[in-house]
Amino acid sequence: QEAQAGRKGFALGVHAGAGFTNTTGLSTAAQSRLGGALQIDLGWGITDQLVVHFSSKELWFTFAGELTLAEVAGFGATYHLDPDPGMYVQAIVASWSVHAQPTGPIATELGPGVWVNLGYEFMPHWAVQIGGGWGSGDTLTSMQSQLTVGYLL
């Protein structure tokens, strides 16, 4: 039986939803914020169950009255438990970067980061996922979680 999802070859995924961040280093105390979440994956499906990719996960939130972007970007893999639509696990090893308010100087923090998602492809190419990550830079440490819905090409 041929898989319905057809994940071999070029892979592009776009997810959008809501997220939460708890960041220390922006001020004297930890700052927690809700915001809009975006994830973009670009990669290659080795099989109908395994996709390797470059991922960018973004969280937009308001801090000190300014729109702020927190991003994690790096390489990862997604493993689908079955070739047909269903559960999958995604892991990303990243360099963590936090970009401060666009009206001020851009503060970029590079350092180690990890991200893990648990997802469910509820019909071919459409999925909902929940995940969380941690990253640490020179002066900032951030933990994030996101709940998103996306399309996987």
Side-chain angles (χ1 to χ4, degrees):
Q1 176 183 356
E2 189 171 334
Q4 297 176 9
R7 298 183 196 99
K8 287 184 183 177
F10 176 75
L12 173 66
V14 178
H15 297 262
F20 174 81
T21 184
N22 185 318
T23 302
T24 57
L26 291 173
S27 68
T28 56
Q31 299 291 317
S32 298
R33 297 286 189 269
L34 292 173
L38 177 66
Q39 176 178 333
I40 299 172
D41 301 320
L42 180 63
W44 190 261
I46 297 171
T47 70
D48 279 323
Q49 288 179 262
L50 181 62
V51 180
V52 293
H53 46 78
F54 175 81
S55 294
S56 174
K57 297 186 72 61
E58 302 173 3
L59 181 62
W60 294 89
F61 57 96
T62 302
F63 178 76
E66 294 276 349
L67 185 63
T68 303
L69 166 67
E71 178 184 21
V72 59
F75 293 94
T78 301
Y79 181 74
H80 295 260
L81 303 181
D82 190 285
D84 293 325
M87 297 294 294
Y88 64 87
V89 177
Q90 183 179 71
I92 302 163
V93 176
S95 62
W96 194 270
S97 63
V98 176
H99 305 271
Q101 295 88 359
T103 58
I106 296 177
T108 302
E109 298 278 333
L110 297 176
V114 293
W115 193 278
V116 176
N117 287 323
L118 180 60
Y120 183 75
E121 190 175 17
F122 54 88
M123 57 190 279
H125 307 290
W126 286 96
V128 61
Q129 68 184 21
I130 188 167
W134 167 89
S136 183
D138 295 331
T139 61
L140 300 172
T141 299
S142 183
M143 295 180 68
Q144 291 188 18
S145 58
Q146 294 182 359
L147 175 62
T148 58
V149 175
Y151 184 78
L152 314 166
L153 179 64

